[in-house]
Amino acid sequence: MSCCPPGSLPKLVATHKAKGDESTLPGTDLPVYVVGSGEKVVIHYYDIWGWNGGRTRFLCDTLADQGYKVVIPDFYRGQAWDDSPIEPGPVGKFVSQFPPDSIVKDTQAVIDHFKSGGAKTFGATGCCWGAWAIFACCASKLPISAAVSYHPALGLAAVFGSSPVELTSKVTTPQCLLPAGNDPADVKPGGEVVKTLEDNKVPVESKDYPDVQHGYMPRGDLSDPKVVEACEDAEKRTYSFFEKYL
């Protein structure tokens, strides 16, 4: 019931000068970061370090450069994991504050708002906890057309009495899974999550990066060529996947 497997990368302090703007979604108490423009909106679901941890906003700014409007809702309402060790008990207690129905409600509010402003289609990207949140939203049949998850932590489904396979069995949205070497086998090519999507005729692509650790996308050391290679390949796969399905 932890989000990060042993050997995962630690917290990274954000240093990127963000290009977008923060505001509160009209009619709600939900803070949002918005960058880019266009009729295709990508909602980003962050890791447990919150909406401005590590390279989260850099990743969203970079994706916006591809022609998307990218939105980071602050599902945690200002909270984030601190410097405490990543252990199942404390992590489970922390994420239990943000149950599936609250994530679905916030996501629906984002979709409704931007649809009223002219958005036509919605996609999703997520890291770690964010991948579980994406699957929860897709399982609830929200109008998300495609989703990409980096080092997904679907094991968090256990916090809410489910399992990765049970949660996945309710998903019909095309998924791209890009796990790290120390991530669970079920989200890697040939794993149970991937097989469940395939058995249900859901478009799925999966590529694992055995030479990098969980957290590589927003927190990996960019002085390490292997991390750079993984991040660049994951970005290319994200763009390609959205070109197909978004």
Side-chain angles (χ1 to χ4, degrees):
M1 297 198 305
S2 181
C3 57
C4 304
S8 297
L9 297 172
K11 177 181 179 179
L12 179 69
V13 175
T15 58
H16 171 66
K17 185 176 180 180
K19 298 178 181 179
D21 298 301
E22 293 182 15
S23 62
T24 300
L25 198 71
T28 75
D29 67 342
L30 179 64
V32 290
Y33 172 82
V34 182
V35 62
S37 61
E39 295 181 340
K40 297 180 179 181
V41 175
V42 178
I43 304 170
H44 182 73
Y45 298 75
Y46 44 67
D47 60 23
I48 60 170
W49 281 281
W51 72 331
N52 195 24
R55 290 190 295 275
T56 295
R57 296 197 180 184
F58 170 77
L59 296 174
C60 292
D61 289 355
T62 302
L63 180 57
D65 289 340
Q66 300 297 310
Y68 300 104
K69 178 174 286 185
V70 184
V71 182
I72 312 175
D74 188 10
F75 301 104
Y76 292 176
R77 303 301 199 280
Q79 295 191 65
W81 189 254
D82 54 23
D83 295 325
S84 302
I86 302 294
E87 298 176 349
V91 168
K93 183 177 180 180
F94 176 74
V95 302
S96 68
Q97 301 174 87
F98 317 107
D101 58 349
S102 72
I103 306 304
V104 170
K105 180 180 178 181
D106 285 343
T107 300
Q108 185 66 67
V110 170
I111 290 172
D112 290 344
H113 173 74
F114 286 98
K115 186 178 287 186
S116 70
K120 301 298 184 184
T121 56
F122 294 86
T125 54
C127 299
C128 185
W129 173 90
W132 165 81
I134 286 173
F135 270 62
C137 289
C138 291
S140 295
K141 309 307 179 188
L142 292 185
I144 296 172
S145 299
V148 179
S149 294
Y150 314 107
H151 34 89
L154 300 187
L156 289 173
V159 174
F160 304 100
S162 184
S163 70
V165 169
E166 182 182 359
L167 179 60
T168 302
S169 68
K170 302 173 184 177
V171 171
T172 57
T173 303
Q175 303 288 329
C176 179
L177 302 175
L178 303 172
N182 62 328
D183 278 318
D186 59 2
V187 293
K188 294 180 179 180
E192 290 185 354
V193 167
V194 176
K195 288 181 178 178
T196 299
L197 291 168
E198 291 174 339
D199 290 346
N200 290 341
K201 310 303 180 184
V202 179
V204 56
E205 296 179 11
S206 181
K207 158 72 176 176
D208 66 319
Y209 299 95
D211 296 327
V212 296
Q213 293 139 326
H214 180 96
Y216 70 87
M217 201 64 173
R219 309 194 304 275
D221 181 358
L222 295 183
S223 68
D224 183 342
K226 292 181 179 179
V227 172
V228 173
E229 182 180 1
C231 289
E232 289 181 345
D233 187 73
E235 282 187 347
K236 291 177 182 177
R237 290 177 184 273
T238 299
Y239 304 155
S240 175
F241 196 74
F242 282 158
E243 285 176 4
K244 289 181 185 178
Y245 297 108
L246 192 56

